[in-house]
Amino acid sequence: MEIDSRFLSTGLLLVATIIVAKLISAFIVPKSRKRVPPFVKGWPLIGGLVRFLKGPIFMLREEYPKLGSVFTLKLFHKNITFLIGPEVSAHFFKAPETDLSQQEVYQFNVPTFGPGVVFDVDYSVRQEQFRFFTEALRVNKLKSYVNQMVSEAEDYFSKWGPSGEVDLKYELEHLIILTASRCLLGREVRDKLFDDVSALFHDLDNGMLPISVLFPYLPIPAHKRRDQARKKLAEIFATIISSRKSASKSEDDMLQCFIDSKYKDGRPTTEAEVTGLLIAALFAGQHTSSITSTWTGAYLLCNNQYLSAVQEEQKQLMEKHGDRVDHDVLAEMDVLYRCIKEALRLHPPLIMLLRSSHSDFSVTTREGKEYDIPKGHIIATSPAFANRLDHIFKDPEKYDPDRFSLGREEDKVAGAFSYISFGGGRHGCLGEPFAYLQIKAIWTHLLRNFELELVSPFPEIDWNAMVVGVKGKVMVRYKRKALSVNQ
Ligand code: HEM
């Protein structure tokens, strides 16, 4: 009898366990599965690759309408989860490094920037190095950089004839590397070593290929040239730094700021670190700024309304300040600022930003759907796609700089991460003010001294470049003509 009742209770326990397990599997498991973001459909293993190789923006354009603002792409063994739009991307921008980190996904920069800097060091050191950037880009420093930007522009355009035709893209690329050399790399490079150093940077640049993202150390000729160039640059900067130190010379440039920078424990920067940080600065600011100045020009020359508006603004400032162009005068150029910002909304050169996730997190879409994103995913957001969302930007394909003016402020109405050409939050661009000043200085000179006309068709986007820019030449006919206040 006793055995029977024990048998019965064991049996009951078993049945109860099975019922509970069934209930769990019926309610909890499907519910949690439902909260995982939808997957991009495709063949297993290479499906994602095929979609991705077509171009990430083309993939986003196809999948966003079907899957919404949060979805996952399988790429080999990796899951890439996209967070598109300000409603879901706040965590991407605000999460601490322990939750979402840059180190792994931006590792491919290490052989270019060199050892001991940025993505080759722990976050605590990287934070200190970014502090050096912040200090080197403070307003008092920017003021002296602007004077150099203005004189570089004057010098460069003085070599143009009375009239002619130029490839504006090539011209602006060139001018910006000269200016960056002066403000960032210093007088020695700009005055004496410019050709050598720019050839070496060219090799570094050509050593950063799409394949380098996956295999940064692949023994291909482009990588070998990159490594040799980096070594030579390190030697050149070591010589410059030690000659500045031994002559107790101090200059007004980013190189000097990095030489004078100290870590919290009092340790000064090494020559190798200074070189690496300068390379990082040039990589962050060179193509991005020259591409943006070219798009700005292309849009202004195709939109009479805005061309007249920026010319009018220049006239007013000339009336107020005469020929003076400095930091404070450039800061007053709101119309030009909005024209640059709108070109950059339509064409952010960094089309995809990435992080690696180390903890689970959840997001809620604007439709109220909740998704759980497991740790281990790569998390991506896309300025090129998010900047054209039609629930944020009215008529998003249209070049409309007034969308940023008081009363509309479409870059802010949906929150801090509506406009993300410069990223935002924890890792927002540190060079944004520098970039605007540089582009404004160039366009101020062009607007005040030339009549310009775009003679090639409106440029297309070169989606194949690592930093996405303008495809082909941008031919412009120019005629020297001073802008007059009384015109
Ligand atoms: C139009 C020009 C520029 C654009 C569109 C641009 C865009 C960006 C973007 C999107 C990020 C964020 C990357 C991410 O979140 O993963 C970023 C970060 C950064 N940018 Fe820029 N940038 C520009 C110019 C510059 C210049 C001129 C400099 C320096 C001279 C610079 C220095 C930096 C640095 C140091 C960071 C890293 C900040 C951090 O991780 O905390 N950028 N930039």
Side-chain angles (χ1 to χ4, degrees):
M1 190 68 186
E2 207 183 290
I3 294 176
D4 269 4
S5 79
R6 240 193 291 149
F7 209 70
L8 191 70
S9 53
T10 312
L12 278 174
L13 194 69
L14 201 72
V15 171
T17 311
I18 291 169
I19 290 171
V20 170
K22 279 268 177 213
L23 280 174
I24 290 173
S25 74
F27 292 104
I28 299 172
V29 174
K31 194 171 160 219
S32 75
R33 256 193 217 132
K34 250 189 240 158
R35 290 176 51 122
V36 165
F39 275 88
V40 173
K41 288 208 175 75
W43 303 308
L45 278 178
I46 57 154
L49 183 66
V50 171
R51 307 298 306 278
F52 207 71
L53 286 181
K54 261 173 77 186
I57 300 304
F58 296 95
M59 188 272 295
L60 290 174
R61 278 187 198 150
E62 280 174 16
E63 300 305 330
Y64 179 86
K66 286 190 275 178
L67 303 176
S69 54
V70 182
F71 54 86
T72 303
L73 174 83
K74 258 196 181 307
L75 197 58
F76 301 116
H77 63 294
K78 283 281 177 202
N79 288 306
I80 307 178
T81 293
F82 289 87
L83 305 176
I84 303 295
E87 300 84 2
V88 292
S89 60
H91 183 73
F92 180 97
F93 292 112
K94 292 203 295 202
E97 186 78 6
T98 42
D99 292 346
L100 284 187
S101 65
Q102 294 182 312
Q103 185 124 9
E104 303 85 344
V105 285
Y106 294 155
Q107 242 337 276
F108 64 90
N109 289 298
V110 170
T112 308
F113 298 171
V117 291
V118 192
F119 301 115
D120 189 48
V121 290
D122 283 350
Y123 185 54
S124 57
V125 180
R126 194 175 343 138
Q127 262 180 314
E128 292 215 55
Q129 294 179 345
F130 282 148
R131 172 169 58 79
F132 305 158
F133 271 97
T134 309
E135 279 161 16
L137 293 164
R138 280 201 198 293
V139 174
N140 63 328
K141 303 279 179 202
L142 289 176
K143 286 189 173 180
S144 72
Y145 299 156
V146 166
N147 300 336
Q148 296 159 14
M149 292 168 183
V150 171
S151 75
E152 286 291 347
E154 281 169 3
D155 193 37
Y156 191 84
F157 294 120
S158 72
K159 291 177 186 124
W160 282 12
S163 64
E165 241 179 63
V166 287
D167 173 8
L168 191 68
K169 180 173 111 176
Y170 172 87
E171 297 293 315
L172 297 183
E173 245 169 44
H174 231 73
L175 169 55
I176 281 183
I177 186 134
L178 285 164
T179 312
S181 290
R182 181 66 191 86
C183 303
L184 309 180
L185 308 184
R187 190 189 302 280
E188 299 86 339
V189 168
R190 175 63 187 87
D191 292 349
K192 292 194 211 105
L193 297 159
F194 180 74
D195 290 341
D196 299 349
V197 168
S198 59
L200 293 171
F201 269 108
H202 195 67
D203 282 349
L204 276 189
D205 219 10
N206 290 341
M208 198 177 278
L209 305 164
I211 187 83
S212 324
V213 177
L214 293 175
F215 307 107
Y217 299 98
L218 200 68
I220 54 174
H223 287 169
K224 282 190 190 145
R225 278 195 295 274
R226 170 198 70 192
D227 297 342
Q228 280 162 4
R230 227 208 68 78
K231 249 177 82 185
K232 283 201 192 127
L233 279 171
E235 284 161 19
I236 291 177
F237 280 106
T239 314
I240 296 173
I241 295 166
S242 66
S243 99
R244 274 198 194 182
K245 279 182 183 167
S246 61
S248 304
K249 245 188 357 202
S250 183
E251 296 275 352
D252 251 348
D253 48 40
M254 190 178 248
L255 166 63
Q256 191 66 48
C257 295
F258 289 159
I259 294 174
D260 297 339
S261 295
K262 284 199 169 61
Y263 291 92
K264 272 191 303 220
D265 62 5
R267 179 174 82 74
T269 46
T270 65
E271 287 162 1
E273 285 168 343
V274 171
T275 307
L277 293 174
L278 285 176
I279 294 174
L282 219 72
F283 265 74
Q286 165 65 26
H287 291 312
T288 47
S289 300
S290 83
I291 287 166
T292 306
S293 57
T294 304
W295 283 119
T296 301
Y299 278 108
L300 286 178
L301 300 186
C302 288
N303 286 273
N304 256 326
Q305 180 196 349
Y306 292 108
L307 182 61
S308 307
V310 288
Q311 283 170 332
E312 201 45 50
E313 181 178 58
Q314 293 295 331
K315 286 186 205 169
Q316 282 171 16
L317 290 169
M318 285 159 69
E319 226 170 353
K320 197 168 159 197
H321 302 291
D323 286 343
R324 179 161 70 90
V325 180
D326 60 16
H327 175 274
D328 297 348
V329 175
L330 292 180
E332 284 187 50
M333 295 178 187
D334 288 336
V335 183
L336 183 56
Y337 166 76
R338 289 197 291 272
C339 288
I340 299 168
K341 182 166 181 162
E342 177 66 341
L344 194 49
R345 178 186 69 83
L346 289 162
H347 302 286
L350 304 183
I351 61 167
M352 198 70 75
L353 311 178
L354 302 171
R355 304 284 185 268
S356 175
S357 91
H358 299 285
S359 58
D360 304 343
F361 66 97
S362 305
V363 291
T364 307
T365 67
R366 71 188 179 111
E367 295 83 15
K369 265 193 188 160
E370 278 189 50
Y371 291 115
D372 300 324
I373 293 113
K375 69 175 175 189
H377 280 211
I378 289 176
I379 313 298
T381 196
S382 167
F385 193 80
N387 278 354
R388 294 188 187 219
L389 289 172
D390 61 7
H391 67 277
I392 311 283
F393 298 102
K394 185 173 165 265
D395 207 353
E397 304 301 319
K398 189 174 160 201
Y399 181 73
D400 178 7
D402 288 341
R403 65 173 80 247
F404 304 122
S405 54
L406 226 65
R408 283 181 69 187
E409 293 178 299
E410 294 180 7
D411 54 326
K412 297 200 183 89
V413 283
F417 308 113
S418 308
Y419 177 96
I420 53 168
S421 295
F422 287 103
R426 198 169 279 273
H427 292 292
C429 178
L430 299 174
E432 178 176 346
F434 181 97
Y436 272 114
L437 289 167
Q438 189 171 19
I439 301 165
K440 278 178 172 177
I442 291 171
W443 276 99
T444 296
H445 187 90
L446 286 171
L447 291 163
R448 290 186 182 193
N449 294 284
F450 294 94
E451 234 175 40
L452 301 162
E453 184 194 347
L454 183 68
V455 288
S456 54
F458 191 81
E460 288 178 23
I461 302 172
D462 179 8
W463 290 111
N464 293 327
M466 287 285 281
V467 181
V468 169
V470 178
K471 198 182 206 173
K473 294 184 176 177
V474 181
M475 296 309 295
V476 163
R477 193 170 298 143
Y478 68 83
K479 201 164 102 198
R480 234 170 239 288
K481 186 167 180 226
L483 190 68
S484 149
V485 176
N486 307 314
Q487 252 171 352

